[in-house]
Amino acid sequence: MRAARFGKSTATHTRSGHLLLMMFLGSPRRKVEAEPPIESPEEARRLVSEISDLTERVRRVPGLEEGNVEEIERSEDRILREYSEMNPRKRSRFLRDLGELAATVDSGHKDGILSEKQFRILELMIKKTRMRDFFVARRLLIKFAKPLELKKERDAKLERYRSYHRKLEARGKDLRSEITRMKRVPMPEKSPEDVAAAKNAVEEYNAAAAHALVDFFAHAPCVEAISFALEASSVPELSVPAPKSRESVKELVQALQEEHVKGAFGKENMAKLVEAAAYSEKRLEHFVKDFKWFQRQLQENVGWLSELTAARSGALRIAWPDPAEQVMKRISVIEPFLGRLPRGERAVQALANLRGMLDAGDYEACLRSETVYKSQGEAAVARFRGTLDEDISRHESELANIQRQLAELPGTDKLVARVPARGPAAD
């Protein structure tokens, strides 16, 4: 009975001790809050002074600048947290980790990085940890908390300064490249407005030509329209869709010219023929005597006729930015066909305007200018407007200001120079 009470008392004591230890271990270590980036040279200079002061204080603590104190603190903190509830199967690993930590402390002391006072504290901390007196071990470890927070503060400020310094260097590099590029920007021959006007002239012609062709296929008698399309499809520059079989189309034209077919469909447009291709034999018989033969001719060519009437092709179109020589050749081929369209006056006039641009050399000049605008962007526009030199001057002034700042501010490698090796540290 007494044994039972004793066991219960011991268990309660153990749980209380464990709770106390966990409270002592506390929440995860405080993180240094990120500060906003540096916004001005004045702020950078103030930060340089703060970093220098903090670095001087950091170097007063042996092993802190070199990172030994941080390494030891991390290892001990991990051991205290990981083995706070000891599992018998973890004991060998616990002793191994603790042995590695003891070797690190001993090495730091022998190399003169850790002072004698630090060594004695750490040696006692390791001894208490081995005894599993984690409460005392943690109290001994906390002696290094303030110096570590000091170094964290210094390192955070150093990173802010490093980011600002890198940003200045990157901006300076970008400015040098941009100034070099801007000085090499050629003068475009034509203004952006001239280039836009040339492109619009091409589009105006294309719209007018497409309208004239659609209008022709919609109103012209089918024999005339099919004959025109068949002839135009043999000229590659016109881009009129070609039929699968030119012979079949010719047979269809012949059929449409026969009296019994001509009377029914001769005056109809191509859309009516496309519709007739879907007629039933019974319905088609009302219009044509030899309806089966005529139906076969229609069905063989209905795909081509549908493509022509759908106005989806690039027929008679001129593409920007095709070379001037190619466009001139295309115009010379298009003109005779375009003149045959009953209501193609607007397209003919638009094509004449394009020919005028080509004859004057304006079309080619606009093509070359567009190439400059595309490759050089706003700098090319500024070059044409006469404002690029002002932009270059502003960039050069900004670069000179950055170079002046970089000359006045120390580099990060000089700001925190590597600590030279030294003899055994004093207490």
Side-chain angles (χ1 to χ4, degrees):
M1 189 73 176
R2 288 175 60 192
R5 286 198 301 270
F6 178 77
K8 183 178 180 180
S9 175
T10 302
T12 302
H13 176 72
T14 302
R15 285 196 297 271
S16 300
H18 177 64
L19 289 172
L20 182 61
L21 174 62
M22 293 308 295
M23 290 173 62
F24 188 76
L25 289 175
S27 58
R29 286 175 287 179
R30 182 174 64 87
K31 295 181 180 180
V32 177
E33 293 184 4
E35 295 186 49
I38 300 172
E39 298 292 344
S40 66
E42 293 74 18
E43 187 179 353
R45 284 191 286 270
R46 286 196 300 271
L47 198 60
V48 166
S49 178
E50 293 174 12
I51 292 171
S52 298
D53 292 341
L54 288 169
T55 298
E56 184 179 348
R57 294 170 63 187
V58 165
R59 289 177 179 170
R60 292 174 190 168
V61 181
L64 186 57
E65 183 73 285
E66 298 87 346
N68 297 70
V69 173
E70 284 179 289
E71 180 184 357
I72 292 168
E73 190 269 346
R74 280 195 301 267
S75 298
E76 175 67 11
D77 182 77
R78 182 184 62 79
I79 290 171
L80 293 177
R81 293 180 182 278
E82 187 171 338
Y83 300 107
S84 60
E85 295 183 10
M86 179 64 75
N87 185 323
R89 288 178 294 182
K90 290 184 177 181
R91 181 166 178 77
S92 60
R93 196 173 72 181
F94 166 69
L95 293 175
R96 183 198 65 198
D97 291 350
L98 198 57
E100 291 177 355
L101 177 57
T104 300
V105 172
D106 188 59
S107 175
H109 180 238
K110 287 180 179 179
D111 292 342
I113 297 174
L114 299 175
S115 70
E116 187 66 31
K117 182 177 180 181
Q118 289 173 317
F119 177 68
R120 287 198 301 270
I121 294 172
L122 294 171
E123 191 177 37
L124 180 58
M125 178 191 72
I126 292 171
K127 179 180 178 181
K128 290 296 184 180
T129 304
R130 186 176 286 110
M131 294 168 60
R132 303 203 68 250
D133 189 351
F134 287 2
F135 187 85
V136 174
R138 171 65 71 176
R139 290 185 64 183
L140 292 168
L141 183 62
I142 284 178
K143 292 180 179 292
F144 297 91
K146 287 185 178 180
L148 286 169
E149 289 297 324
L150 189 70
K151 186 170 185 293
K152 286 180 184 178
E153 182 184 356
R154 193 285 307 272
D155 289 347
K157 291 180 182 296
L158 182 61
E159 184 55 36
R160 284 183 68 210
Y161 179 76
R162 184 179 287 114
S163 297
Y164 178 73
H165 204 275
R166 281 198 297 254
K167 184 178 177 182
L168 278 182
E169 291 176 329
R171 179 56 180 163
K173 183 179 179 181
D174 290 344
L175 282 170
R176 282 190 290 273
S177 298
E178 183 65 6
I179 290 169
T180 300
R181 185 188 72 83
M182 291 169 77
K183 288 182 176 179
R184 293 174 179 171
V185 173
M187 170 66 80
E189 300 169 66
K190 296 291 184 178
S191 70
E193 293 77 16
D194 291 335
V195 173
K199 294 168 73 173
N200 288 337
V202 172
E203 289 307 313
E204 285 176 8
Y205 158 73
N206 287 331
H211 181 270
L213 193 61
V214 169
D215 179 81
F216 174 68
F217 287 146
H219 296 94
C222 56
V223 173
E224 182 183 348
I226 292 173
S227 299
F228 176 89
L230 186 62
E231 180 185 353
S233 66
S234 64
V235 182
E237 289 81 5
L238 297 179
S239 302
V240 174
K244 290 183 179 180
S245 171
R246 305 184 73 81
E247 291 303 318
S248 179
V249 175
K250 290 177 181 179
E251 290 178 4
L252 175 61
V253 171
Q254 291 176 357
L256 287 168
Q257 290 174 333
E258 294 182 8
E259 287 301 324
H260 66 285
V261 179
K262 185 176 181 181
F265 293 100
K267 295 182 179 180
E268 299 289 350
N269 61 15
M270 286 198 298
K272 188 66 176 180
L273 290 184
V274 172
E275 181 184 335
Y279 285 178
S280 65
E281 292 182 353
K282 186 175 181 179
R283 184 179 181 186
L284 195 60
E285 188 178 7
H286 289 293
F287 300 99
V288 181
K289 291 180 181 179
D290 192 357
F291 61 89
K292 288 187 178 181
W293 176 80
F294 181 62
Q295 186 181 55
R296 186 173 65 253
Q297 298 297 323
L298 283 178
Q299 291 176 347
E300 285 180 0
N301 294 284
V302 69
W304 179 62
L305 296 174
S306 297
E307 187 176 3
L308 292 172
T309 56
R312 289 192 298 267
S313 70
L316 307 185
R317 287 184 60 84
I318 290 175
W320 178 278
D322 280 350
E325 184 179 348
Q326 181 177 328
V327 173
M328 182 62 83
K329 180 181 178 181
R330 193 170 175 82
I331 287 176
S332 64
V333 175
I334 288 174
E335 278 179 330
F337 283 87
L338 199 61
R340 288 162 57 182
L341 299 180
R343 284 176 287 276
E345 299 86 357
R346 188 164 66 91
V348 170
Q349 181 59 51
L351 194 63
N353 293 340
L354 278 179
R355 180 183 281 279
M357 289 177 57
L358 286 158
D359 291 340
D362 293 338
Y363 181 91
E364 276 187 294
C366 286
L367 285 184
R368 290 191 294 267
S369 299
E370 186 182 50
T371 300
V372 176
Y373 289 127
K374 283 185 175 180
S375 63
Q376 303 298 333
E378 290 299 320
V381 178
R383 174 68 79 189
F384 188 87
R385 307 287 191 217
T387 60
L388 186 60
D389 288 342
E390 297 175 10
D391 296 340
I392 292 173
S393 295
R394 283 195 295 271
H395 279 53
E396 288 176 336
S397 296
E398 184 182 353
L399 177 59
N401 184 43
I402 288 175
Q403 290 173 332
R404 186 164 52 253
Q405 290 184 54
L406 289 172
E408 294 172 355
L409 296 171
T412 52
D413 56 334
K414 295 180 180 179
L415 187 58
V416 185
R418 186 180 297 275
V419 178
R422 56 187 177 185
D427 289 351

